Amino acid sequence: MSGYVFFPSQERDPVETERALNSERGAGLRLWTGIKFAAGLVVLACLPGLPLVAQWVNYPTRGIPRTADGKPNLSAPAPKTADGKPDFSGVWEHLNSRSTAYYLDGVNIPWQPGAKALFDQNTADNQINNPESKCLPRGTPKADAFDLHKIVQTSELIVILYEYQTTYRQIFLDGRALPKDPNPSWGGYSTGHWEGDTLVVESNGFNGKAWLSGRGNPTTDAMHLTERMRRRDFGHMDIELTIDDPKAYTKPWKAELHPEFIPDTELMEFVCNENERDLRHLVGK
């Protein structure tokens, strides 16, 4: 069971709340919330011989550089794969994504008039039409900007596992072209190629239903997303985003993400619809 209580109107969830209560890199034990789960713990605690167990939230990540005192050395050189490419594998998060590191702060967004009007309406309506309010996916690149995620890398495929909604994304590195007439999707379709130590990812095929952020920045089915990913050192990644969505914006524009490696933890299952009690209370303007 997930035991989550979802707060869609403010784009908060218990996973993020408990992570804020612990250390920034999630090294502490995660707090589970939800009456159902708490009650379950009480029952289990009363049964003799049954140990209370948790997911691998404090399990040391193998094979990572550490300092003399055993702490992860996030300033160590970036790792390489067997074929000499940067290895992005691991658990990552763009920290402070809703406050000091909100990825659209300071960006001069070149709005189309209709998109700006929709953004203003979304803001005025208390985000009642936020897809997350209905337990729908965050989409790309919002999931990378606001979600703890795990990258699994091979020579021909990168898979990104997102904690929120237990969703995934595939980036194909096998030389295929983007689909010409794709079935529209929340996460789009992605292919990548290397330019030196930078992975360039191109994505299309979006359904235009996802927002770029919880503040209501819209997307359309015409969006083409380019991501330039570079692992600066072991613990830090730099991603330059170029958003080309002519139905919503008058020209392509850029934003940046700076995820940090989150050691000694793993993803948790997150089922939004389970124990969801907030949608019925959302009120627009």
Side-chain angles (χ1 to χ4, degrees), residues 103-223:
Y103 85 113
L104 298 183
D105 273 348
V107 176
N108 185 19
I109 298 176
W111 297 99
Q112 292 281 13
K116 181 60 165 64
L118 180 56
F119 170 76
D120 292 340
Q121 178 183 328
N122 290 336
T123 302
D125 280 346
N126 194 31
Q127 304 174 14
I128 192 172
N129 291 316
N130 188 339
E132 291 178 51
S133 300
K134 303 172 179 64
C135 288
L136 293 170
R138 281 185 173 148
T140 308
K142 186 181 179 184
D144 301 276
F146 295 99
D147 201 6
L148 189 78
H149 53 279
K150 183 174 186 176
I151 296 178
V152 181
Q153 180 174 338
T154 72
S155 60
E156 294 192 343
L157 177 68
I158 287 178
V159 176
I160 306 179
L161 308 174
Y162 298 102
E163 186 168 77
Y164 174 77
Q165 289 282 52
T166 317
T167 53
Y168 71 94
R169 177 188 180 196
Q170 298 182 93
I171 302 173
F172 292 94
L173 308 178
D174 56 4
R176 71 182 65 186
L178 287 174
K180 295 185 181 301
D181 187 23
N183 185 42
S185 65
W186 289 91
Y189 300 81
S190 301
T191 64
H193 67 274
W194 295 98
E195 294 183 2
D197 285 344
T198 298
L199 178 62
V200 181
V201 180
E202 305 283 351
S203 302
N204 71 350
F206 299 99
N207 61 16
K209 298 177 182 179
W211 289 4
L212 294 177
S213 79
R215 298 182 185 179
N217 302 69
T219 64
T220 78
D221 57 5
M223 183 172 75

Side-chain angles (χ1 to χ4, degrees), residues 13-282:
D13 60 65
V15 172
E16 293 153 350
T17 301
E18 57 79 19
R19 186 172 292 116
L21 294 174
N22 295 310
S23 69
E24 272 198 335
R25 293 188 172 88
L29 281 174
R30 301 179 176 186
L31 295 177
W32 283 87
T33 60
I35 297 173
K36 181 165 57 176
F37 186 78
L41 286 181
V42 172
V43 172
L44 288 174
C46 294
L47 296 177
L50 291 180
L52 291 178
V53 295
Q55 291 171 284
W56 298 284
V57 293
N58 267 335
Y59 191 83
T61 305
R62 296 181 61 182
I64 69 172
R66 295 184 182 270
T67 58
D69 58 2
K71 295 181 179 178
N73 182 4
L74 301 183
S75 298
K80 301 281 188 178
T81 61
D83 58 1
K85 302 297 185 184
D87 190 352
F88 294 101
S89 300
V91 178
W92 297 86
E93 185 173 18
H94 181 74
L95 298 175
N96 303 309
S97 58
R98 290 165 176 78
S99 55
T100 56
Y102 176 69
Y103 85 113
L104 298 183
D105 273 348
V107 176
N108 185 19
I109 298 176
W111 297 99
Q112 292 281 13
K116 181 60 165 64
L118 180 56
F119 170 76
D120 292 340
Q121 178 183 328
N122 290 336
T123 302
D125 280 346
N126 194 31
Q127 304 174 14
I128 192 172
N129 291 316
N130 188 339
E132 291 178 51
S133 300
K134 303 172 179 64
C135 288
L136 293 170
R138 281 185 173 148
T140 308
K142 186 181 179 184
D144 301 276
F146 295 99
D147 201 6
L148 189 78
H149 53 279
K150 183 174 186 176
I151 296 178
V152 181
Q153 180 174 338
T154 72
S155 60
E156 294 192 343
L157 177 68
I158 287 178
V159 176
I160 306 179
L161 308 174
Y162 298 102
E163 186 168 77
Y164 174 77
Q165 289 282 52
T166 317
T167 53
Y168 71 94
R169 177 188 180 196
Q170 298 182 93
I171 302 173
F172 292 94
L173 308 178
D174 56 4
R176 71 182 65 186
L178 287 174
K180 295 185 181 301
D181 187 23
N183 185 42
S185 65
W186 289 91
Y189 300 81
S190 301
T191 64
H193 67 274
W194 295 98
E195 294 183 2
D197 285 344
T198 298
L199 178 62
V200 181
V201 180
E202 305 283 351
S203 302
N204 71 350
F206 299 99
N207 61 16
K209 298 177 182 179
W211 289 4
L212 294 177
S213 79
R215 298 182 185 179
N217 302 69
T219 64
T220 78
D221 57 5
M223 183 172 75
H224 184 106
L225 175 67
T226 302
E227 300 157 278
R228 299 183 64 87
M229 304 171 57
R230 183 176 70 91
R231 190 165 185 172
R232 190 186 340 145
D233 54 25
F234 189 88
H236 304 88
M237 192 191 311
D238 300 317
I239 305 176
E240 180 191 78
L241 307 173
T242 301
I243 297 168
D244 185 3
D245 191 348
K247 291 183 181 179
Y249 308 102
T250 60
K251 61 181 179 180
W253 54 280
K254 297 181 184 295
E256 294 181 356
L257 298 175
H258 300 284
E260 294 191 28
F261 185 86
I262 310 297
D264 305 335
T265 193
E266 286 292 348
L267 305 185
M268 296 171 67
E269 182 182 75
F270 182 0
V271 181
C272 172
N273 271 315
E274 187 173 26
N275 206 30
E276 193 286 307
R277 302 179 181 181
D278 294 277
L279 180 58
R280 74 194 76 170
H281 302 296
L282 289 183

